[in-house]
Amino acid sequence: MTRVLLALMRIAHCLPVGMLRACGSLLGGLLYRLAPQRRRVAQANIDACLPELPASERHALVHQAFRVFGQGFLDRAILWHASATRIRALVRLEGGSHLAALAGRPVILLAPHFAGLDAAWSRLSLDSRLVTIYANQKDPLFNAALLAGRRRFNDPLLLSRQEGVRAALRALKQGLPLYYLPDMDLGARDSAFVPFFGIPTATVTAVSRLARMSGATILPCIATMTDAGYTVTIHPPWPDYPGASVEADTGRMNAFIEDMVRAAPAQYHWLHKRFKTRPPGAAPIYAS
């Protein structure tokens, strides 16, 4: 099945963006119906984070999130197989001067889990050699395709999560920008419980710790899906970071991500169990 899917994606990269997006929307709608457990996770996340919305809007947002997820997945057909020229046309970069001004110095590109995550990586890797930390996928064929798609330009350094942050720290000190995904629940180890939408949330503290050890500048990098493709915005450097404590830095990061989610809620990765790890004595977010 994976071989067929990957072959279809290789063929589909020739399609116009509008047609590919229509197929992605259908794929997302199908996943919504065929993945009830993941649907319940997305609904629990949205209910917990956006309780001020009417129930009907929260339900509709779950459906939208699945459709956007499907569109982002199929857009990888272009990112993995199309020419650099087409990728530049698909993904508009704003704020690139912030990264250019720090060339050769330690930089952490803070990249939360929005639908355009892979689009931002592909666009940025056209101009710079990057380093990132990835999680191995369960399917070895898809894992290999994912890594091959991310290795297309400028010989990036891809580090598995098992290799840890030490290798990333070395790369940072060598001047390679670290494209870092900070908002997954990786358990209580090396995490702090800091607010995210008012919920004490297990959040990895690596951004603050790496910045302290390397002197890296933080550049938030947000990819927004548009009708024509994507807009990747590199925000100005965070001043006074790192701050008073690792916990304060991590809370500041979550507050920023929360603001970005509120600006485009359907594009956030609600399908992940963001609140799987709970503080001692706290009630679970997800039904057993």
Side-chain angles (χ1 to χ4, degrees), residues 59-126:
H59 179 76
L61 185 55
V62 172
H63 201 208
Q64 293 167 15
F66 269 84
R67 291 191 178 276
V68 169
F69 175 82
Q71 291 173 326
F73 182 87
L74 285 193
D75 281 348
R76 287 172 172 168
I78 297 175
L79 302 174
W80 292 356
H81 301 295
S83 67
T85 299
R86 189 176 182 198
I87 292 173
R88 288 183 189 277
L90 178 76
V91 187
R92 185 164 61 94
L93 179 62
E94 296 181 348
S97 59
H98 296 307
L99 181 58
L102 295 166
R105 295 165 57 187
V107 171
I108 297 175
L109 290 159
L110 187 76
H113 280 78
F114 285 89
L117 194 64
D118 281 278
W121 167 268
S122 294
R123 178 61 185 84
L124 292 171
S125 67
L126 290 173

Side-chain angles (χ1 to χ4, degrees), residues 180-195:
Y180 192 75
L181 290 57
D183 55 334
M184 298 288 276
D185 186 337
L186 302 182
R189 183 181 176 183
D190 298 325
S191 295
F193 286 101
V194 295

Side-chain angles (χ1 to χ4, degrees), residues 80-236:
W80 292 356
H81 301 295
S83 67
T85 299
R86 189 176 182 198
I87 292 173
R88 288 183 189 277
L90 178 76
V91 187
R92 185 164 61 94
L93 179 62
E94 296 181 348
S97 59
H98 296 307
L99 181 58
L102 295 166
R105 295 165 57 187
V107 171
I108 297 175
L109 290 159
L110 187 76
H113 280 78
F114 285 89
L117 194 64
D118 281 278
W121 167 268
S122 294
R123 178 61 185 84
L124 292 171
S125 67
L126 290 173
D127 300 329
S128 304
R129 186 172 185 236
L130 305 175
V131 58
T132 194
I133 300 173
Y134 68 92
N136 280 304
Q137 305 297 302
K138 292 180 180 179
D139 187 319
L141 284 176
F142 184 76
N143 192 64
L146 187 68
L147 294 179
R150 291 175 177 175
R151 284 194 177 108
R152 294 189 67 204
F153 307 109
N154 275 315
D155 188 29
L157 179 60
L158 306 182
L159 303 171
S160 72
R161 191 176 292 161
Q162 290 70 28
E163 292 174 277
V165 298
R166 291 187 178 181
L169 179 61
R170 289 194 296 270
L172 269 174
K173 291 182 176 180
Q174 293 167 6
L176 292 184
L178 172 62
Y179 189 79
Y180 192 75
L181 290 57
D183 55 334
M184 298 288 276
D185 186 337
L186 302 182
R189 183 181 176 183
D190 298 325
S191 295
F193 286 101
V194 295
F196 184 56
F197 286 93
I199 303 166
T201 303
T203 307
V204 291
T205 58
V207 173
S208 176
R209 291 187 288 110
L210 284 169
R212 290 171 187 274
M213 289 186 285
S214 68
T217 299
I218 308 300
L219 293 179
C221 178
I222 305 297
T224 304
M225 183 182 287
T226 67
D227 291 341
Y230 296 89
T231 297
V232 175
T233 303
I234 299 179
H235 291 252

